[in-house]
Amino acid sequence: MFKTCTCGNEMDIRLRTVIYTNKVSIANVPVFCCENCTSSEVMPEIKSDLKQLIKRLGSRPDLQELDFGECNEFAYLLGMATRKELHLRAMDDLVQDRINQLLDLLILASSLDDPTWTKDIERRLLQISDLTCST
Ligand SMILES: [Zn+2]
């Protein structure tokens, strides 16, 4: 999950607010930042979700504020981890809690026969398992 900058410095992960076409502000986007040369880069793991979100907004979106944590599990978990009261909790606990929460939702969604919702939850669970494999 770590990345070395082109200048040789180790980069930090920060949650940034990204402004799209001066109208849409997207909060909690995980970005790699270098304190040495101030370069920054969107995390490769979340790029495709961010692209999809922007594609959905289209070229002339309405004025709005979005939370990227609602589209991407990694952004959600990072947001949780950086909340003060959760600071001391291990990321593993957070991941486990979130998986349980999603599994509950999955049961709910499938019992309500909502395929779109079910698919979304399955996608989120998959994102989490991708994360836990790569770290
Ligand atoms: Zn650098």
Side-chain angles (χ1 to χ4, degrees):
M1 224 163 61
F2 293 97
K3 189 179 165 66
T4 309
C5 181
T6 44
C7 76
N9 200 45
E10 193 160 284
M11 298 177 102
D12 289 329
I13 298 172
R14 296 275 162 78
L15 289 169
R16 287 274 176 86
T17 297
V18 175
I19 311 287
Y20 173 61
T21 66
N22 286 322
K23 282 194 165 172
V24 186
S25 98
I26 307 167
N28 295 323
V29 178
V31 173
F32 277 117
C33 300
C34 175
E35 301 210 322
N36 188 38
C37 68
T38 69
S39 70
S40 59
E41 182 189 321
V42 169
M43 268 188 81
E45 286 87 345
I46 62 111
K47 256 182 197 165
S48 66
D49 270 8
L50 189 61
K51 267 186 202 158
Q52 264 178 33
L53 178 67
I54 284 170
K55 205 171 157 193
R56 254 201 334 259
L57 289 167
S59 56
R60 283 184 202 165
D62 294 329
L63 201 65
Q64 58 190 300
E65 283 178 25
L66 298 171
D67 183 351
F68 192 59
E70 284 172 17
C71 315
N72 181 275
E73 279 306 310
F74 188 69
Y76 175 84
L77 288 168
L78 258 189
M80 292 288 281
T82 51
R83 271 202 217 159
K84 230 185 204 164
E85 71 265 32
L86 292 166
H87 239 167
L88 295 174
R89 293 188 62 181
M91 194 71 175
D92 283 352
D93 282 354
L94 278 176
V95 169
Q96 207 47 57
D97 281 1
R98 183 59 175 164
I99 288 174
N100 289 337
Q101 202 181 355
L102 285 170
L103 287 173
D104 285 349
L105 283 175
L106 190 63
I107 293 164
L108 192 64
S110 56
S111 65
L112 290 174
D113 224 3
D114 187 333
T116 319
W117 193 16
T118 309
K119 232 180 180 172
D120 182 61
I121 298 164
E122 281 170 353
R123 185 181 60 88
R124 285 164 183 273
L125 281 166
L126 210 66
Q127 281 179 348
I128 294 184
S129 60
D130 280 354
L131 286 174
T132 41
C133 288
S134 66
T135 48

